[in-house]
Amino acid sequence: MSEASSGGDRGPIIPKSPSEALKPERVPAPPKRSRKARSQFVIFLNFVMTMVVLVCVAAVAGFYYVISSFQEPGPLEANTHFTVRSGAGLAEIANNLERNGVVSDARIFRYVSATYLRDGQTLKAGEYEVKAGASMKDIMELLESGKSILYSVVLPEGLTVRQMMLRLNEDTVLEGDLPTELPDEGFLRPDTYKFSRGTKRADIIQQMRVSQQKLIDEIWERRDPDLPIKTKEEFVTLASIVEKETGKDDERARVASVFINRLKKGMRLQSDPTIVYGIFGGDGKPSDRPIYRSDLRKETPYNTYLIKGLPPTAIANPGRAALEAVANPWKTNDLYFVADGTGGHVFAATLDEHNANVRRWRRIEAERATSPADTEVVDGQPDGAEAEKPAAGN
């Protein structure tokens, strides 16, 4: 085929000027959108998807912020005490935490804590020490644990019920009134009781009562079967006398043996602490008031110089050691004891031996001080000056 015929097929070549060559060729129009693409429903779906994405992004950012705030160090600059009152709900606790500057945002603490607390878990009442910089999570775990600040009241052996009530009443952390009717003498457990702020005095008293009864029952079951006491009340009464007669652990069981032996022989117990209780009752003898010879003649239901056997009730609250001593006393022939001047006692099985011990004690007393003849101080019986002899035939 010739060039002429080939060129004829393409058409004639029309020369263009340089300016025309630089002009853009006509661009074809874009294809028309389909009717489906122009649908309002599709536009709405696109909008919804966009909003969903934005919401998800905002939720993730918000969740990260909330969790970070819950776990990051809090605003406290120094340790502080925070109290959760009994019956307080999560909203109240959260608001109080923010109000006291313990947390930065009550709403975050409230709602995030609610997600942690499940299966009956709660924030417990009490007074807590919150450490400086503690996070909301730390605080929530502390309040959930119930590890509140503990206070204590010391109620040693030998106090009367009235003296124990006085100590409970003077404690400024305990709350609530004392019972109008006092518990029976001897049936409150001497001990150191720990409690959190908000604890009621009645709760401590009930704990003391239950604990003492449990102890009495336990020791009573292991008592010597030959004891001349028949009831738990008598058991506690004698233990209270032993408690008041000596504070030395190594001689309680021997002191108990003296009283057990005297009961078996029908002798009067002649115990000074019973004299004191008969005169002063549960209030106790003033510390600067000695026992006088005239006190031995005062008729009270507790004067074991005048009555035989045990007094009508205990004279104090005995501890475990005194109860154990009475339940299982030493096996001795001792009927008397008197102070030895060193805080302990010297024991005797016969009246002559005892009177010699008494004279020795009187010499020690005379060296310390001299009392007027009419108000001579005595140390009591069976540790006194004039011990009685065993009843005839016993």
Side-chain angles (χ1 to χ4, degrees):
M1 183 181 292
S2 66
E3 292 183 8
S5 61
S6 176
D9 291 339
R10 293 195 300 268
I13 298 175
I14 303 173
K16 295 181 180 180
S17 65
S19 61
E20 289 177 337
L22 294 175
K23 288 182 180 181
E25 296 182 3
R26 185 177 178 182
V27 178
K32 292 184 178 181
R33 298 176 66 188
S34 66
R35 182 171 297 180
K36 183 178 181 181
R38 293 196 304 270
S39 168
Q40 293 297 321
F41 179 69
V42 173
I43 294 172
F44 176 73
L45 284 181
N46 289 337
F47 171 76
V48 170
M49 291 299 295
T50 302
M51 292 304 298
V52 168
V53 171
L54 292 176
V55 169
C56 288
V57 171
V60 170
F63 179 78
Y64 177 79
Y65 170 76
V66 168
I67 296 301
S68 297
S69 299
F70 192 72
Q71 296 180 346
E72 67 186 10
L76 275 182
E77 296 181 355
N79 294 358
T80 189
H81 288 189
F82 179 76
T83 301
V84 177
R85 73 170 185 84
S86 180
L90 188 54
E92 177 185 334
I93 296 171
N95 290 332
N96 287 339
L97 285 168
E98 182 178 353
R99 189 178 301 115
N100 288 277
V102 182
V103 301
S104 56
D105 193 308
R107 290 172 299 179
I108 292 177
F109 180 86
R110 175 184 178 183
Y111 293 116
V112 178
S113 293
T115 65
Y116 277 90
L117 299 173
R118 297 178 180 176
D119 300 327
Q121 292 177 315
T122 59
L123 302 185
K124 299 173 178 62
E127 182 182 10
Y128 298 87
E129 182 180 20
V130 183
K131 302 296 184 182
S135 68
M136 296 188 201
K137 186 173 186 292
D138 294 334
I139 297 168
M140 183 272 296
E141 291 176 345
L142 174 64
L143 303 188
E144 190 276 328
S145 72
K147 295 178 180 178
S148 57
I149 297 171
L150 293 180
Y151 298 86
S152 64
V153 58
V154 180
L155 301 169
E157 295 87 346
L159 292 183
T160 65
V161 167
R162 190 175 296 277
Q163 289 168 334
M164 286 183 168
M165 295 301 105
L166 180 61
R167 292 202 179 192
L168 292 177
N169 193 53
E170 290 174 344
D171 192 285
T172 57
V173 179
L174 287 170
E175 298 179 359
D177 297 327
L178 294 170
T180 54
E181 184 177 348
L182 295 181
D184 293 337
E185 195 73 82
F187 286 85
L188 294 181
R189 178 78 178 269
D191 207 342
T192 297
Y193 292 88
K194 295 186 180 296
F195 56 90
S196 58
R197 185 176 294 276
T199 299
K200 305 296 184 183
R201 291 180 174 86
D203 294 338
I204 297 293
I205 295 170
Q206 180 64 11
Q207 183 181 350
M208 296 164 65
R209 192 200 309 265
V210 171
S211 181
Q212 183 75 333
Q213 188 63 59
K214 181 179 178 181
L215 180 65
I216 291 168
D217 293 343
E218 170 195 329
I219 297 175
W220 177 254
E221 290 300 318
R222 296 185 280 103
R223 71 188 184 279
D224 186 330
D226 294 331
L227 292 179
I229 48 180
K230 304 304 179 184
T231 67
K232 293 179 184 177
E233 288 73 21
E234 292 179 347
F235 171 54
V236 173
T237 296
L238 184 53
S240 72
I241 295 174
V242 172
E243 186 70 72
K244 297 296 290 184
E245 283 285 5
T246 179
K248 297 189 69 176
D249 292 339
D250 60 351
E251 68 175 25
R252 281 194 180 96
R254 190 168 185 180
V255 169
S257 76
V258 170
F259 290 122
I260 293 295
N261 292 339
R262 292 174 77 87
L263 285 173
K264 287 180 176 180
K265 290 180 177 295
M267 299 171 65
R268 293 183 178 89
L269 297 185
Q270 296 180 307
S271 169
D272 289 354
T274 64
I275 298 293
V276 172
Y277 194 86
I279 296 173
F280 301 100
D283 293 326
K285 181 178 71 66
S287 58
D288 59 348
R289 164 64 156 85
I291 301 175
Y292 301 120
R293 284 194 178 279
S294 57
D295 293 333
L296 307 185
R297 297 186 292 271
K298 292 181 179 179
E299 294 187 3
T300 75
Y302 293 86
N303 188 341
T304 53
Y305 281 80
L306 301 179
I307 66 170
K308 285 194 174 184
L310 293 165
T313 70
I315 61 172
N317 291 284
R320 174 184 286 274
L323 290 165
E324 294 276 12
V326 172
N328 293 280
W330 283 10
K331 301 296 184 182
T332 73
N333 295 319
D334 296 331
L335 292 172
Y336 313 95
F337 61 90
V338 68
D340 62 5
T342 66
H345 295 83
V346 58
F347 297 81
T350 67
L351 182 60
D352 290 342
E353 183 182 1
H354 173 63
N355 285 335
N357 292 335
V358 170
R359 288 191 293 270
R360 188 180 306 110
W361 167 238
R362 293 302 178 211
R363 286 195 297 271
I364 295 174
E365 280 188 318
E367 293 173 358
R368 294 175 177 174
T370 303
S371 301
D374 186 49
T375 58
E376 182 179 354
V377 180
V378 299
D379 191 59
Q381 298 293 341
D383 48 339
E386 299 174 357
E388 69 170 341
K389 296 179 181 179
N394 291 329

